[in-house]
Amino acid sequence: MSPNVESESTSGLYRVSRDEPIAALERRRLLEMAELLDATTRARIEALGLAPGWRCLEVGPGAGTISRWLGERVGPEGEVVSLDLDLRFHVETKPPVALVEADLMAAPLPRDHFQVAHARNVIEHLPDPLAALARLVDVLEPGGWLLIEDGDFVTIDEAPLPEAFRALHDAATAAGLRRSPHWKRRYGSRMRADLMQLSLEDVAVDETRRTLVGGTPGAESYLLGLEYAVPGLVAGGLIEAKVAEEALALARRSDFSLPGPVHVIGVGRKPLR
Ligand SMILES: C[S@@+](CC[C@H](N)C(=O)[O-])C[C@H]1O[C@@H](n2cnc3c(N)ncnc32)[C@H](O)[C@@H]1O
């Protein structure tokens, strides 16, 4: 595959602002998310048997740190396709990592090709998660591994929260759903049922719950998503600036904590025949 292939988006309703101060918050948020989740992701990919020469597909890499690491691990004989609708936030990479700015559902990907396809916090944003997973199975070589990570936000959506924080959380969640209208905030808990429909072998799903403590990368990866929404919410009269400020200041204190989303990781293997 040649790098930097452009493709028309057919399911890419996920959009990040072009306004640089707001986009800068998204860059920081993606890096905080990487800080929080990359170690687990790397361990899970290693456990599949990752080795020099492997062909890997990273979907929705965001900050791109997993793609960069995959490139180092698979070496010059390997291949890493790092495919995102929006590559503005991707770290610099070098071969064998190829950056492809495209929609997963429309990108010209080879069939029966990759030994691993990984997507973290991406499938939950797509209009038809099952079709997206089927697409990933299609591009895996027989015996190749699908590794999917998504959240279930029920923990935080239903938690008792201080009033100002609840107001900001609810308004920002509504704004997030306008930016990514197909976002299924409970998808993590539905993932296994979808994986079971795909005739995969060795399907296994597990989940982790984290407490997000104010001031840590875990909390920041969540709070920056709320902060990102504030200018639009204030401009739209959906929250008062002082309430938003109060909520963010409170949530960044080390004595504040939130029940983080349930993080669900699912794995399955394409049958050899
Ligand atoms: C919540 S971010 C997750 C980033 C990264 N995987 C992580 O966990 O840190 C979702 C990413 O998926 C990308 N994305 C959303 N829809 C997509 C699509 N249809 N095709 C390719 N990428 C998509 C977004 O541009 C964004 O980079």
Side-chain angles (χ1 to χ4, degrees), residues 11 14 29-30 33 60-62 83-86 102-104 120-122 125-126:
S11 72
Y14 188 103
R29 184 183 79 92
L30 289 168
M33 194 141 66
L83 182 151
D84 202 300
L85 277 179
D86 185 347
D103 185 328
L104 168 66
R120 187 176 76 199
N121 298 340
V122 177
H125 289 284
L126 303 186

Side-chain angles (χ1 to χ4, degrees), residues 31-55:
L31 287 169
E32 299 283 3
M33 194 141 66
E35 170 90 16
L36 179 70
L37 300 175
D38 277 10
T40 303
T41 297
R42 289 195 299 261
R44 298 302 290 257
I45 298 177
E46 290 284 8
L48 302 177
L50 180 70
W54 268 37
R55 296 180 297 279

Side-chain angles (χ1 to χ4, degrees), residues 16-262:
V16 177
S17 173
R18 295 263 149 206
D19 181 16
E20 189 40 45
I22 298 182
L25 285 176
E26 176 67 358
R27 183 174 288 109
R28 273 179 54 207
R29 184 183 79 92
L30 289 168
L31 287 169
E32 299 283 3
M33 194 141 66
E35 170 90 16
L36 179 70
L37 300 175
D38 277 10
T40 303
T41 297
R42 289 195 299 261
R44 298 302 290 257
I45 298 177
E46 290 284 8
L48 302 177
L50 180 70
W54 268 37
R55 296 180 297 279
C56 310
L57 174 64
E58 174 69 7
V59 179
T65 49
I66 290 296
S67 299
R68 180 175 62 188
W69 168 78
L70 283 169
E72 289 159 6
R73 285 290 288 108
V74 304
E77 306 301 316
E79 182 183 336
V80 178
V81 174
S82 194
L83 182 151
D84 202 300
L85 277 179
D86 185 347
L87 288 169
R88 273 179 295 162
F89 308 110
H90 205 288
V91 290
E92 281 192 21
T93 54
K94 53 186 186 192
V97 181
L99 304 187
V100 178
E101 192 159 85
D103 185 328
L104 168 66
M105 302 310 285
L109 294 170
R111 301 185 69 179
D112 297 329
H113 182 73
F114 296 100
Q115 278 136 330
V116 62
H118 171 247
R120 187 176 76 199
N121 298 340
V122 177
I123 300 298
E124 67 193 28
H125 289 284
L126 303 186
D128 186 344
L130 182 58
L133 295 178
R135 167 118 174 94
L136 294 179
V137 173
D138 191 52
V139 303
L140 284 175
E141 71 168 19
W145 290 99
L146 184 63
L147 182 66
I148 302 297
E149 305 183 50
D150 276 302
D152 181 341
F153 289 78
V154 67
T155 40
I156 188 160
D157 287 349
E158 296 192 359
L161 296 171
E163 197 178 333
F165 190 81
R166 169 57 69 194
L168 175 58
H169 179 271
D170 289 354
T173 299
L177 287 165
R178 285 192 290 279
R179 267 198 313 131
S180 179
H182 297 289
W183 187 18
K184 288 160 253 320
R185 288 176 66 84
R186 301 222 52 192
Y187 182 68
S189 298
R190 283 181 29 207
M191 181 204 298
R192 186 172 188 279
D194 280 359
L195 292 174
M196 295 304 288
Q197 288 196 55
L198 291 169
S199 311
L200 293 165
E201 291 174 349
D202 302 327
V203 172
V205 175
D206 58 74
E207 60 182 52
T208 315
R209 288 164 196 249
R210 287 187 176 84
T211 299
L212 307 181
V213 175
T216 64
E220 280 304 303
S221 69
Y222 200 76
L223 295 179
L224 287 165
L226 304 188
E227 190 173 354
Y228 172 104
V230 168
L233 295 174
V234 172
L238 297 168
I239 196 162
E240 283 177 42
K242 97 172 161 19
V243 174
E245 272 165 35
E246 185 192 325
L248 288 170
L250 172 72
R252 288 189 161 125
R253 289 168 42 158
S254 60
D255 59 354
F256 185 83
S257 66
L258 289 168
V262 182

